[in-house]
Amino acid sequence: MLRIVRAFWHDQRGIALILVSIMLPAIVGFSLLVIDASRVNNLHNDLQKAGDAFSLAGAAELDGLPGSWARAERAMATLVDNESNFSNSGRFTLTSGQPGGALRCNNSGNISWCFLKAIPAADGTKITTANQATYLANSDPAIGEDETKFIQVTVAPTGFSAFFPVSFLSSSASGSFSVGAVSVAGFTSGVCEYTPVFMCNPYEDTSITGGVTLEQAAQTRQYRRRQIKLRGDGSYFPGNFAFLASPFGNGASQLERMLADSKPQNCYSRDGVDTEPGQNSGPVKDGINSRFGIDASSFSDGPGVNVRKGAINWDQFVKDNKVDYQTDPTKGIGLERDSCQIAGNCTLMGGRMGAGDWNFARYWAANHPTRTVPAALSGTGADLPTRYEVYRYEIDNNVVSDASVGGEKGTPPAGAGTPISIPDRRLLYGAILDCNALKASGMNFSGRQTGIPARRFASFFITEPIIDGKDIMVELVDITGRGGSGTLDNYLRDEAQLYR
């Protein structure tokens, strides 16, 4: 008997069944936890991907133009199709709607959203109801749409119930909770093939522009027609110009090359440009004047197709600004200045902005003596054509080669090389900075400044060759964003991207 008891005591057969029986609840519980973790993770991924898709769709419309909020809502409502699984609702499609785009914060369907002008510098800082006011765009769409750069989309939390019986651990515990997601996407806008130049917004201080803003000037012919003297004297006030940092360097030769080049390989972002202030009158003069068929730069890839400037010996290749100009305006003139600029008694922008009343009739009679004024240019008063419109009409209608009374033609002299087949060769492209506001915020423009926000990118028509390198006579042609007419779209590089 004792032997039988001893044998039974040492017998290990079937011990695995005992261990499994003991561990089975833990194994089942752990398996349920793994399944629940996988389910909740998949649910969160579905909601996060949906939130990202909604925010990216909305951000792509935030171009600063009127109606961008409504377009963002429409994009989220019509371009996104995402499903979610594993919630208490089972499989369902997340939707949005179009409340009208009048509110900076709204909700529809399964999401809510807010339009933001900024986001926290640190990724770890969340945008909450407590700090949201710091980042929200202005509640007035007329202002808010222009400053909106981001959209925050919040996916409404959806219920989730776990398989794991948490009540087994505690009678007060619940296996049900909600899962949501938040996504922030932004719109970045930049330009490429731009000259490394910035202009202090000529219209930033409306007290010196007769109450006209930059956007109003771009939208209205009589304001675009005002001739502006951009000054590069090393100071930074409305109407002055300086330079942007270029990836190819900012030495005198590189600056001249990029000002003379028809397609400078520079790209800049509206979110922030790097300035490279300084005075380089020689490169500015030589680079820009090469566009007029003046042999002032060895880097030029050719003059424009229309270089009419009131020169006497138009068919001779002129060197380094040694141009003999007509003194009798009845014989031939360039796109002459506004009357107050000729008289020297302008009042706008400290005397550097004209009234937009240039003598078009005299220009046409002297330079196209055998042609009547075409209907497209026949406006008077507020509808008087801009210099740029006349310049383009001459190109587009093949009248560049008309001889003036004095014999000048708009075609460049033979020695200037082959004209560049780019009608807008005489446009100067640059970033517009609100220099007064930037200085008020602490920026002193001393040395290179990085990440400076650009109000707009703009194009200016250079109306005449440069004499001293410090002053460039221009007309505003167009701007990007609100107030623009779309002529700069080919230079724009727009991109929507996720930030959070």
Side-chain angles (χ1 to χ4, degrees):
M1 174 63 83
L2 183 60
R3 187 176 64 246
I4 296 173
V5 172
R6 187 181 296 113
F8 177 78
W9 181 260
H10 291 287
D11 192 350
Q12 296 183 5
R13 289 175 296 178
I15 194 171
L17 180 60
I18 298 174
L19 295 176
V20 169
S21 299
I22 296 173
M23 293 298 298
L24 186 57
I27 293 172
V28 173
F30 184 76
S31 300
L32 291 177
L33 283 176
V34 170
I35 294 172
D36 284 341
S38 177
R39 290 173 62 233
V40 75
N41 183 66
N42 286 336
L43 173 59
H44 181 262
N45 281 342
D46 287 347
L47 299 181
Q48 188 64 56
K49 288 177 181 178
D52 292 346
F54 281 121
S55 64
L56 282 171
E61 303 298 328
L62 302 179
D63 55 7
L65 294 175
S68 60
W69 287 0
R71 285 187 278 110
E73 291 180 359
R74 183 165 58 251
M76 292 190 293
T78 60
L79 300 181
V80 179
D81 184 10
N82 280 85
E83 285 190 344
S84 171
N85 291 289
F86 303 114
S87 71
N88 292 343
S89 301
R91 173 175 290 189
F92 70 98
T93 300
L94 288 95
T95 62
S96 181
Q98 304 179 54
L103 300 177
R104 62 182 176 182
C105 289
N106 217 324
N107 65 86
S108 183
N110 301 102
I111 67 170
S112 60
W113 60 87
C114 286
F115 297 108
L116 311 175
K117 62 183 178 182
I119 57 176
D123 289 342
T125 303
K126 295 183 179 181
I127 302 175
T128 64
T129 54
N131 65 7
Q132 194 178 54
T134 304
Y135 308 107
L136 285 174
N138 194 288
S139 59
D140 180 0
I143 302 173
E145 288 180 327
D146 182 40
E147 65 183 11
T148 297
K149 294 183 179 180
F150 307 93
I151 182 172
Q152 181 184 44
V153 172
T154 301
V155 180
T158 183
F160 176 85
S161 296
F163 291 149
F164 185 83
V166 294
S167 59
F168 175 78
L169 302 177
S170 171
S171 59
S172 61
S174 173
S176 298
F177 51 91
S178 296
V179 179
V182 178
S183 177
V184 177
F187 178 86
T188 58
S189 178
V191 292
C192 287
E193 297 182 1
Y194 248 58
T195 43
V197 172
F198 75 83
M199 297 87 167
C200 292
N201 182 4
Y203 294 90
E204 181 182 9
D205 183 355
T206 56
S207 67
I208 62 175
T209 64
V212 179
T213 66
L214 176 65
E215 291 74 19
Q216 289 172 329
Q219 292 172 334
T220 310
R221 174 189 277 177
Q222 69 182 88
Y223 298 142
R224 291 199 309 274
R225 202 170 53 238
R226 292 177 175 179
Q227 194 172 39
I228 301 171
K229 182 185 289 186
L230 294 178
R231 177 160 293 166
D233 60 4
S235 58
Y236 305 97
F237 298 97
N240 287 19
F241 76 90
F243 309 102
L244 297 174
S246 168
F248 304 102
N250 278 77
S253 61
Q254 284 297 331
L255 181 61
E256 180 182 327
R257 182 190 301 274
M258 285 179 284
L259 290 171
D261 196 348
S262 59
K263 288 188 176 183
Q265 302 302 305
N266 298 295
C267 293
Y268 300 102
S269 171
R270 182 184 174 188
D271 293 339
V273 296
D274 297 344
T275 64
E276 192 76 38
Q279 298 184 55
N280 291 277
S281 58
V284 172
K285 177 187 67 176
D286 295 344
I288 288 180
N289 282 356
S290 66
R291 308 179 186 204
F292 286 85
I294 296 174
D295 182 21
S297 175
S298 58
F299 300 115
S300 177
D301 49 1
V305 294
N306 186 356
V307 299
R308 195 182 297 271
K309 49 190 173 286
I312 295 176
N313 300 314
W314 72 274
D315 57 341
Q316 296 182 8
F317 190 32
V318 290
K319 301 280 186 179
D320 191 28
N321 299 321
K322 293 181 174 65
V323 185
D324 292 326
Y325 292 100
Q326 293 282 1
T327 57
D328 184 351
T330 64
K331 291 185 178 181
I333 50 178
L335 297 163
E336 60 182 349
R337 302 181 182 185
D338 292 341
S339 61
C340 69
Q341 291 170 324
I342 295 174
N345 59 3
C346 293
T347 59
L348 297 175
M349 207 178 78
R352 292 194 287 128
M353 179 181 288
D357 60 349
W358 74 293
N359 198 329
F360 163 69
R362 182 162 63 184
Y363 172 88
W364 191 265
N367 290 292
H368 303 283
T370 64
R371 299 180 189 273
T372 60
V373 176
L377 302 176
S378 61
T380 59
D383 291 327
L384 185 72
T386 67
R387 297 167 183 82
Y388 174 68
E389 288 170 337
V390 174
Y391 161 82
R392 282 302 304 260
Y393 179 89
E394 291 175 328
I395 296 173
D396 298 339
N397 293 275
N398 300 314
V399 297
V400 173
S401 59
D402 283 0
S404 69
V405 176
E408 182 191 23
K409 297 181 180 180
T411 51
T418 304
I420 296 296
S421 58
I422 299 176
D424 289 333
R425 179 75 168 114
R426 279 170 56 181
L427 290 192
L428 178 65
Y429 303 93
I432 301 294
L433 306 186
D434 283 337
C435 294
N436 283 348
L438 289 170
K439 288 188 292 184
S441 68
M443 179 177 170
N444 58 15
F445 288 98
S446 177
R448 174 178 289 193
Q449 302 291 325
T450 60
I452 306 304
R455 179 183 180 88
R456 293 284 188 272
F457 292 96
S459 58
F460 292 86
F461 175 59
I462 307 170
T463 62
E464 61 187 61
I466 300 176
I467 301 302
D468 58 7
K470 292 184 178 180
D471 295 332
I472 309 176
M473 303 302 295
V474 299
E475 275 185 346
L476 175 64
V477 176
D478 201 4
I479 60 175
T480 56
R482 183 187 296 271
S485 58
T487 64
L488 297 174
D489 287 353
N490 288 338
Y491 297 90
L492 287 173
R493 303 294 185 269
D494 296 336
E495 180 181 356
Q497 67 181 59
L498 290 172
Y499 286 83
R500 298 181 172 216

